[in-house]
């Protein structure tokens, strides 16, 4: 059973999400909160696996709440609920340890799959938002080849980084590259070591920042 909290300053959204997710028997909504600080206080003393977190809230927004929650309980997965206008906030939330991001108007099935994916340790990516962020990155980047070469990444490792940033699981990457899942797992461990990163989310951030997408 995945213990979930919902954090949004609009009560209609909180109630709507609870109704949508009530049909899934492997998810239990254990709390809903109107701002990030309330969520943080709850997480300190309760078992939470995943948080659905609005990015824009007046008192304590989703970026700051992500930083606070991950500082006390690294294992809690946080999925940012966002709009097309929030790319700068998304990158900052990811840098604090968020597991990915979804559009607020995503279907219940997409939200459910995102919760399951984040719980399993995968990066949750909304393709439309990702494309927008990548277009912004491509328009503004000044990435040089040496900026990547300094990390001594192989072509295969760079390809895996790109696929991780697209939100693919190890199984999906193995199918894409025609390699065993164990090989992909080993390559990701090597990538984390070479880049001195913590997890798949940080690999995705690296890909965005270095213009690998």
């Amino acid at each position: 059973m995945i213990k979930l909290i919902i954090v949004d300053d609009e009560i209609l959204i909180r109630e709507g999400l609870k109704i949508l997710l009530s049909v899934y028997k492997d998810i239990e909504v254990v709390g809903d909160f109107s701002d990030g600080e309330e969520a943080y206080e709850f997480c300190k003393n309760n078992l939470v696996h995943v948080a659905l977190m609005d990015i824009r809230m007046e008192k304590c927004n989703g970026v700051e709440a992500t930083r606070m929650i991950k500082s006390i309980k690294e294992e809690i997965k946080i999925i940012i609920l966002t709009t097309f206008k929030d790319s700068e906030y998304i990158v900052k939330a990811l840098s604090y340890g968020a597991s990915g991001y979804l559009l607020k108007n995503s279907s219940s099935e997409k939200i459910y799959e995102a919760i399951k994916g984040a719980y399993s340790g995968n990066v949750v990516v909304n393709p439309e938002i990702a494309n927008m962020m990548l277009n912004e990155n491509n328009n503004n980047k000044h990435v040089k080849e040496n900026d990547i070469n300094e990390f001594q990444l192989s072509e295969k490792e760079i390809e895996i980084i790109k696929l991780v940033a697209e939100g693919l699981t190890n199984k999906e990457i193995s199918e894409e590259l025609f390699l065993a899942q164990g090989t992909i797992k080993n390559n990701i461990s090597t990538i984390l070591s070479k880049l001195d990163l913590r997890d798949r989310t940080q690999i995705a951030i690296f890909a965005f920042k270095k213009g690998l997408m």
Side-chain angles (χ1 to χ4, degrees):
M1 183 69 72
I2 299 174
K3 306 288 187 181
L4 176 80
I5 62 171
I6 299 168
V7 191
D8 196 295
D9 56 4
E10 295 186 40
I11 189 170
L12 287 177
I13 290 178
R14 299 200 307 273
E15 293 299 322
L17 285 169
K18 283 195 289 186
I19 292 169
L20 287 174
L21 295 171
S22 66
V23 302
Y24 300 104
K25 302 305 180 186
D26 52 351
I27 291 178
E28 179 187 2
V29 178
V30 294
D32 65 280
F33 308 97
S34 61
D35 76 85
E37 190 171 344
E38 291 177 1
Y40 166 73
E41 291 297 331
F42 182 84
C43 287
K44 283 199 296 188
N45 302 306
N46 295 275
L47 177 61
V48 176
H49 296 127
V50 180
L52 285 178
M53 180 84 67
D54 184 20
I55 205 164
R56 289 179 181 265
M57 295 177 287
E58 285 189 14
K59 186 177 178 182
C60 178
N61 65 36
V63 174
E64 182 62 14
T66 296
R67 184 193 66 77
M68 292 164 63
I69 290 171
K70 296 296 279 188
S71 72
I72 57 163
K73 291 192 177 178
E74 177 67 29
E75 68 273 16
I76 295 177
K77 310 299 184 184
I78 299 174
I79 302 171
I80 296 296
L81 295 174
T82 184
T83 70
F84 281 109
K85 300 176 181 179
D86 294 329
S87 60
E88 183 181 343
Y89 293 94
I90 293 168
V91 172
K92 186 170 282 190
L94 289 172
S95 72
Y96 286 142
S99 294
Y101 48 90
L102 284 176
L103 282 173
K104 277 192 168 186
N105 62 358
S106 296
S107 67
S108 58
E109 185 177 351
K110 282 187 177 179
I111 294 171
Y112 172 69
E113 291 300 329
I115 292 167
K116 296 278 284 184
Y119 179 70
S120 299
N122 293 321
V123 180
V124 177
V125 177
N126 179 278
E128 297 168 275
I129 294 285
N131 287 335
M132 181 199 69
M133 292 170 67
L134 294 175
N135 287 334
E136 289 179 0
N137 198 21
N138 287 333
N139 289 334
N140 297 303
K141 71 182 180 184
H142 299 285
V143 177
K144 296 181 179 178
E145 213 172 289
N146 290 339
D147 205 22
I148 301 302
N149 289 343
E150 68 174 290
F151 298 103
Q152 298 183 323
L153 296 165
S154 68
E155 289 185 12
K156 181 173 67 176
E157 288 167 345
I158 290 173
E159 188 63 27
I160 290 172
I161 288 171
K162 293 176 182 178
L163 295 173
V164 168
E166 290 175 13
L168 273 65
T169 64
N170 284 1
K171 182 175 184 295
E172 290 168 334
I173 295 172
S174 73
E175 292 170 353
E176 181 80 16
L177 300 181
F178 303 102
L179 295 169
Q181 286 191 57
T183 301
I184 301 302
K185 184 177 179 181
N186 290 338
N187 273 271
I188 289 176
S189 295
T190 301
I191 290 165
L192 291 170
S193 178
K194 282 185 177 182
L195 302 180
D196 194 24
L197 299 178
R198 183 179 61 244
D199 53 30
R200 298 172 79 96
T201 303
Q202 291 194 339
I203 291 176
I205 296 168
F206 175 86
F208 283 120
K209 286 184 175 179
K210 298 300 183 182
L212 292 177
M213 303 297 291

